[in-house]
Amino acid sequence: MAGGWNDYIATLEKSGHVAKAAIVGLQGGNWAVSSGFDPGDMSSTVAGFTNTDVFPSKGIHVAGIKYMYLRTGENAVYGKKGPAGVCIAKTKQALVIGIYAEGMQAGQCNVAVESIGDHLRNSSY
C-alpha cells in the first residue's frame, strides 16, 4: 500500500470484521496500531510460532488479555475469550494482529487478517 503501514490497519478496521489491529515486528516494535491499542510484549507469541507447546499450555496474550488457544493454521494462530477473539498471522518479518469483538464473526476476522498477512509475505515482509 502506498500510504504506509497505517493503511493496513485502516483496511482491517474498515472491513467491519476487526475491532482493533496491529502490525508488530518479529524483532519487537509496533509498525502500526489501531488508535488507543497497545498489543504489549509479543515475544512469547513470536516464540509460539516455532515452539508449538507455548500456545496450548499458556494461551495467547495480546494487550494484557489471555485468549484461550483454539488452533494453529499454516501461518496463523487463533484464540478466543468469551464472545471476542484474536487472529494473528505471521509473515517473514512481522505479526498481523486482529481482534474481533462481540457481534463480529471470527471467520471473517480471520480472512481479513490472513489476507493482509498473505500480501505482506508475498511482498517479502
Side-chain angles (χ1 to χ4, degrees):
M1 287 188 169
W5 297 112
N6 287 323
D7 285 352
Y8 293 108
I9 301 303
T11 298
L12 289 169
E13 292 174 336
K14 288 177 185 174
S15 74
H17 305 298
V18 178
K20 297 179 182 178
I23 301 174
V24 178
L26 295 181
Q27 303 300 319
N30 295 335
W31 294 7
V33 296
S34 294
S35 178
F37 180 60
D38 180 3
D41 180 10
M42 297 302 295
S43 59
S44 65
T45 303
V46 171
F49 278 95
T50 54
N51 179 354
T52 56
D53 293 334
V54 170
F55 295 131
S57 63
K58 298 186 181 197
I60 303 165
H61 296 265
V62 179
I65 297 171
K66 179 181 178 183
Y67 293 88
M68 179 181 67
Y69 167 78
L70 295 176
R71 65 184 173 93
T72 302
E74 183 178 347
N75 291 301
V77 64
Y78 312 91
K80 185 164 179 61
K81 181 170 179 84
V86 63
C87 173
I88 303 173
K90 182 180 177 285
T91 72
K92 295 172 186 171
Q93 298 181 38
L95 299 177
V96 180
I97 304 163
I99 305 289
Y100 63 90
E102 184 172 359
M104 294 179 167
Q105 296 295 316
Q108 295 300 320
C109 175
N110 298 348
V111 168
V113 170
E114 290 173 33
S115 174
I116 299 292
D118 289 344
H119 173 75
L120 293 177
R121 270 190 300 282
N122 292 334
S123 300
S124 297
Y125 285 102

